[in-house]
Each structure stands twice: as structure tokens, then as C-alpha cells.
Amino acid sequence: MHGITVIELYVFVLAAFVGYQVIARVPPLLHTPLMSATNAISAISLVGSLVAAGADYGTVSTVLGTLAVTAATINVVGGFMITDRMLRMFKREQKGRR
Amino acid sequence: MREMFTQGAYLAASVTFILGLRGLSSPATARRGMFFAEVGMLLAVVGTLIQHEIVRYEWIAIGMVIGSIIGALMAILMPMTAVPQRTAISHMFGALAATLVGVSEFYRHGNGAEIPHVQMAALGFEVMFGSLTITGSFMAFGKLQGFIRSAPMTYRFQNQSNITLFFVTLGLFAFLIFQPASPAVFYAMTALGLVIGVLIVMPIGGADMPVVMSLLNSYAGLAASATGFVIGNNVLIIAGALDGASGFLLSILMSRAMNRSFTNVLFGAFGSAPQAELALKAATDKAVRSISGEDAAIQLGYARSVVVIPGYGMAVAQAQHQVRELADEIEKRGGEVKFAVHPVAGRMPGHMNVLLAEANVPYDKLKDMEEINGEFERTDVALVIGANDVVNPAARHDRSSPIYGMPILNADQAKSVIVLKRSMNPGFAGIENELFYSPKTFMLFGDAKKSLSALINEVRQLE
């Protein structure tokens, strides 16, 4: 098992800080797409699941890994698609419509 | 060489995720931003698949195909009114993936025997938060979907027993950090996490859902981030931290919009029965003025400015398209229509905006509470559709009211108020709404969709 370094803590704290700053600028108008977008992004845990499912660590890891791959893929595919579906609906007023 | 490509892909993915979230600061740039994030995600997945550790692809392929089909079907077929449910269940899937990876890592390292103390801390955190998010999100999903009773479920000593259970779980977690090779403790902690998830969401009522959804969002992110610590993967740490920060920020905003603290939402069990009875009793003493569709149409048709205040009732009745049509009719006659969206209207942050956008309401007409509140004094008609507590003036002055201090939309300052409501039942909190008894308020009872369709016809017939 790899060793946890102080660098990783730095990465976590700085990422959380940047995240907070960036997300504070998201208007309430887009809070629902924001939630599904961050949900899709955090489904990057897929990469951990891929290793568990494909690295031949034994049956238990393969089974748990495959389930994890399925769950994470649902979020990656579904999360990005629904976010895009929602964002497509947000339109500016078109002058002279109808 | 391969390792370099993988690390490069992870770095690129981290950057695109941040760019993607940055894009969400405006609807104009949001789609492009999300496209970057999608490319980044693809890069990260490819970068992982080419790693030396991965030797078998058949199970990966099966998982990805099944996951893609389920995810795509959910995204395509689901009506927009069901977005809160989908979000809740996706928090469950995210936490499930993190927890399964955690359990798998624990198991394959000699059931904890080969895990150093610091790593066990990350792993324990991942599995503890992951497991409580799995069941917590499933409960939220069930309540939103309606197969679990959405009213708060309370019993005696609920808070005390929940807190005790939580500390027992924390105790097991602490024990594991010092004694990683204790599989029984590890699995007991996981099981208790699952139980706690159920217990903390049980007492939470429908209207508190925005806060709970945000909290679960944050937990799912933190669990993903902890996975990154466990398997030594920076992009996971970053993406999880972004998700955690976003959920945390939204929880703060939602709690503030209800003037409540986290602890109050989680341990408050707000709308308990006695209050509701009290309110119902008081409500029978006063009279409300109801209005016919025809008279309401006259008010709306001749108004110069109308502010529509949508609430969860609009979502339940799926009336967003009728709302848009009515707004179009009023605008054809020269009136101006805006939409006032309270931060906690609906069942998740921003829920009303998505529904109205679906009905083709241009987003420049969707106004936040801060933007619109100053305008009510100049508004001819405030049209309240299925909203209740977010327009209750008691929040401003009645210290005894459970919602005292909650920021509200100042509908009562409009020259006239029309409230579309199914019946006189009080809202989720069981609080009576004095706005409904105000001399300038008119109640139009009935199903929101039907009332609106009738109103549209009446307005069309006006000269």
C-alpha cells in the first residue's frame, strides 16, 4: 500500500479552496445543474473502481470493483447527460419571438 | 512513458474540472465548460485503462456498458420534475462506488493487516462516510419518489440514540486507526454507517430536503476524495474536494435561506405533529377571500407588472408549462412578468429555475430573492403558485413562529396577491400563513394546472 504524503493533504486543501471560490460564483439560477455537474465530476472515483475491477486482485476485488465501475459509470454518463440536458434549456429572451 | 501519459491525463482532467465549474458562473458559458469537463473525464479514464496494473478488461467492459445504459436511460427518460430524485440516487451511486473500492482495498490487504495507520484513517473515513451516504441518499430518494413517507418520522429519544450510535461508530473508526487488522470492527463500522444513514434522514421532512441533498452531496464528495488518499490518486482527491466544497457551500446557503443551522435541520425534526394541529385550529377562526377565475384573470390581464412566485406545488402539479403560457398571455397584453425564486423553493437547490427553463421561460426573467425583493412594492399582482412558507410574513415579525428570521419573498408588499392553492391545509411546517388572510390577498383554490389553464382562457377572452 502506498504511503500518504503531506503533498496529498496540500492537494486536498488547495482543491477544496479553489472549489469553494469557483462555486461561490455560480448563481442560484444554476444550482441544480451545479449539483449534477459536481456529482458527475466526483464520479471520477471510476478510475479507482477500474483498477479494482481489472487488476486481478482476486474474486472479491473483481466483484466489488465491477459493481463500483457500474455505479460510477451511471454517474459519469447520467450526470453529464442530465447536466447538459438542463443547461440546454436555459435560454436568453429572444427579441420578437412569436 | 505510460505512467507519464497517465499522470498527464490526470492533471489535464483536474484542470478541466475546475474550468467546467467556472463555466457554470453563467448560463452562456456553462455548456462549453461542461464539455471541457467531459473531455477531461474521458482522458482520465483512458489514462487509467492503459496502466500496467490493469490486466483484465472483460469485467470493466461489462460494468461500463451496464452503467452507461442505466445512466443514459435515466438522463433521457426522466421528467424534469424528477431531478431531485435522480440527484439523490446519484449521490447513492457515487458513495457506493467509493465504499466498494474501500472495502475491496481493506479486504485485499490481508483484511487490514497490511494497512499502515495513516492509510487506515483515510480508508475508515471513506467507508464510514460512504456507507452512511449510501443509505441516507436512498432514504432521500425514497421520500422524494414517494415510496417512503415524506413526513418526518420521529420517536422518543431519537436524537439521543442517533448521537450515541454516531459516537459508537466514531469509536470503532478510531479503534481501527490504531488496530487496522480488525476485520470484525471494520465491517461493524460499515454496517453501523449504513444504519445511521437511514436514521438521520428518517426524521427529515420534504421541505428540509434542499439542505439534506446538499449535505449528502458534500459527503459523497468527501468519500470520493478519501478514496483518492487511499489509492494515492490526485485527480480523485481534487474532484472529490470540488464536490465536497460545492455541497458544503450549498448546505450553508440553503440553511441560511431557512435561517437554520445544520444541527437544527439534522436534529430538529421540524414539522412535528402538535404544531400542525395548533395551526389548523387557529386557521378555522379566520376567513379567507376566495376569487373566481374570471376575476383573477381581470386582475392579471390589466396588470402592468406581475411577479410569479413558484413553489413545490407547481412541480407537483407539473404546471410549469401553463405558467409560461399565462405569462405569455399577460405579456401580449402589455404587462411585464418576472419570476421570483426563493433559494429553498422546491426539493433541491435551484429546482424551480430548471422547471421554468424547461417551459421555455428565458433565464433573464428568473430572479433571485435579493434581486426581486425590492421590486414587490412596484408590483401590481404577486401570483403565488404552490408556494407557502417562503411568502409567510410571520418570518419577519412573529418571534414565536418556527420560521421566524427566515428570509422571505416580500409578496405581501405587492398591490394585490393571488394565491393558487389546492386547499387551506398548512404547509410542511404546519404553520398558518397570515398572507392568506391579508385584505389584499385573493385565494384561487384548486389544482394549479387546471386553475392556470382556466386563467389562460379567461385572459385570452379579455378585451
Side-chain angles (χ1 to χ4, degrees):
Chain A
M1 198 165 221
H2 90 110
I4 286 179
T5 58
V6 182
I7 304 279
E8 286 176 339
L9 274 177
Y10 270 83
V11 169
F12 175 76
V13 173
L14 290 179
F17 185 74
V18 170
Y20 195 92
Q21 296 295 321
V22 170
I23 288 152
R25 294 175 45 182
V26 177
L29 177 72
L30 294 179
H31 275 168
T32 299
L34 168 70
M35 211 185 245
S36 59
T38 52
N39 193 262
I41 287 171
S42 81
I44 185 78
S45 61
L46 175 61
V47 300
S49 322
L50 290 175
V51 177
D56 221 357
Y57 290 146
T59 318
V60 174
S61 274
T62 308
V63 172
L64 296 181
T66 305
L67 288 174
V69 168
T70 313
T73 310
I74 293 175
N75 275 2
V76 171
V77 175
F80 278 123
M81 282 178 72
I82 192 77
T83 307
D84 193 63
R85 190 178 148 202
M86 285 192 273
L87 290 175
R88 262 202 318 261
M89 300 183 319
F90 283 91
K91 291 183 210 85
R92 218 171 239 294
E93 188 166 17
Q94 283 152 19
K95 292 292 168 209
R97 103 195 129 107
R98 275 182 295 265
Chain B
M1 189 58 211
R2 273 199 210 180
E3 182 58 23
M4 265 178 64
F5 177 81
T6 305
Q7 290 307 325
Y10 286 174
L11 182 60
S14 310
V15 173
T16 60
F17 292 164
I18 293 171
L19 284 177
L21 293 178
R22 220 185 97 86
L24 284 174
S25 54
S26 151
T29 55
R31 285 189 72 199
R32 196 179 51 204
M34 289 325 294
F35 176 72
F36 287 144
E38 286 162 28
V39 173
M41 179 70 75
L42 187 68
L43 275 176
V45 171
V46 173
T48 309
L49 287 175
I50 61 161
Q51 278 179 352
H52 290 290
E53 283 157 292
I54 298 190
V55 291
R56 300 169 62 188
Y57 289 91
E58 65 272 29
W59 291 108
I60 291 179
I62 292 173
M64 288 185 90
V65 168
I66 298 176
S68 301
I69 293 173
I70 298 177
L73 285 179
M74 271 167 58
I76 295 167
L77 300 179
M78 186 199 58
M80 279 297 148
T81 40
V83 166
Q85 287 92 306
R86 198 215 73 93
T87 310
I89 199 84
S90 70
H91 292 155
M92 184 194 84
F93 286 129
L96 183 66
T99 309
L100 289 173
V101 171
V103 173
S104 149
E105 285 289 301
F106 182 85
Y107 178 82
R108 89 181 168 90
H109 288 97
N111 253 327
E114 302 153 22
I115 303 179
H117 303 295
V118 187
Q119 278 79 336
M120 193 59 225
L123 184 56
F125 183 89
E126 172 190 347
V127 172
M128 184 173 66
F129 269 82
S131 57
L132 81 85
T133 308
I134 293 173
T135 46
S137 302
F138 186 75
M139 287 291 291
F141 171 72
K143 286 190 168 211
L144 289 164
Q145 189 69 39
F147 64 81
I148 296 173
R149 216 158 57 92
S150 77
M153 288 178 237
T154 52
Y155 47 85
R156 284 185 59 182
F157 303 119
Q158 186 169 30
N159 287 341
Q160 291 86 334
S161 60
N162 282 0
I163 292 167
T164 312
L165 207 58
F166 187 67
F167 277 105
V168 170
T169 314
L170 273 183
L172 296 181
F173 173 43
F175 180 85
L176 274 171
I177 298 176
F178 295 105
Q179 297 285 333
S182 345
V185 177
F186 179 80
Y187 296 113
M189 182 190 77
T190 314
L192 277 180
L194 292 171
V195 173
I196 290 176
V198 174
L199 294 179
I200 55 173
V201 180
M202 227 163 72
I204 286 167
D208 286 342
M209 274 302 164
V211 185
V212 177
M213 298 272 287
S214 310
L215 269 180
L216 290 169
N217 183 12
S218 185
Y219 290 168
L222 290 177
S225 202
T227 314
F229 280 99
V230 171
I231 62 174
N233 186 322
N234 281 328
V235 68
L236 249 173
I237 297 179
I238 293 171
L242 293 175
D243 195 20
S246 161
F248 180 67
L249 186 68
L250 287 175
S251 321
I252 294 177
L253 292 177
M254 293 303 115
S255 304
R256 203 183 287 159
M258 302 169 90
N259 192 36
R260 320 212 356 234
S261 63
F262 282 171
T263 36
N264 183 282
V265 172
L266 286 180
F267 299 111
F270 199 43
S272 46
Q275 269 172 11
E277 280 165 27
L278 203 79
L280 272 179
K281 216 174 95 194
T284 49
D285 299 343
K286 295 188 216 159
V288 296
R289 279 203 295 174
S290 65
I291 188 174
S292 70
E294 205 180 339
D295 291 340
I298 291 171
Q299 284 204 27
L300 289 168
Y302 292 101
R304 272 170 299 133
S305 55
V306 175
V307 174
V308 179
I309 301 170
Y312 186 58
M314 182 189 80
V316 173
Q318 305 241 14
Q320 64 269 31
H321 296 279
Q322 282 71 21
V323 172
R324 210 282 325 280
E325 268 184 66
L326 179 62
D328 281 355
E329 290 300 327
I330 296 170
E331 296 206 316
K332 264 188 218 164
R333 301 178 51 84
E336 190 193 17
V337 184
K338 288 176 183 165
F339 295 82
V341 181
H342 192 276
V344 294
R347 288 296 183 258
M348 73 179 285
H351 188 189
M352 292 298 126
N353 292 311
V354 170
L355 292 180
L356 291 169
E358 185 199 14
N360 283 321
V361 174
Y363 64 76
D364 3 23
K365 289 182 185 287
L366 304 172
K367 304 290 181 191
D368 309 346
M369 184 165 59
E370 287 84 13
E371 274 180 281
I372 196 88
N373 254 352
E375 293 189 28
F376 278 105
E377 289 174 9
R378 282 170 274 130
T379 300
D380 291 332
V381 183
L383 180 63
V384 180
I385 304 172
N388 189 346
D389 296 316
V390 298
V391 290
N392 191 344
R396 259 190 247 126
H397 59 77
D398 182 2
R399 286 181 179 279
S400 66
S401 169
I403 59 166
Y404 175 72
M406 169 173 149
I408 57 159
L409 291 163
N410 300 330
D412 57 327
Q413 291 174 0
K415 294 190 185 97
S416 137
V417 182
I418 299 177
V419 179
L420 266 61
K421 208 172 177 328
R422 188 175 281 278
S423 67
M424 273 313 284
N425 286 336
F428 85 95
I431 309 159
E432 80 172 290
N433 191 336
E434 57 179 59
L435 178 69
F436 300 162
Y437 305 99
S438 151
K440 57 184 174 187
T441 302
F442 303 89
M443 308 293 291
L444 182 54
F445 290 111
D447 174 71
K449 203 173 191 169
K450 283 185 192 142
S451 300
L452 283 165
S453 301
L455 274 177
I456 294 165
N457 277 329
E458 296 283 356
V459 172
R460 274 188 190 139
Q461 282 163 26
L462 290 177
E463 277 309 306

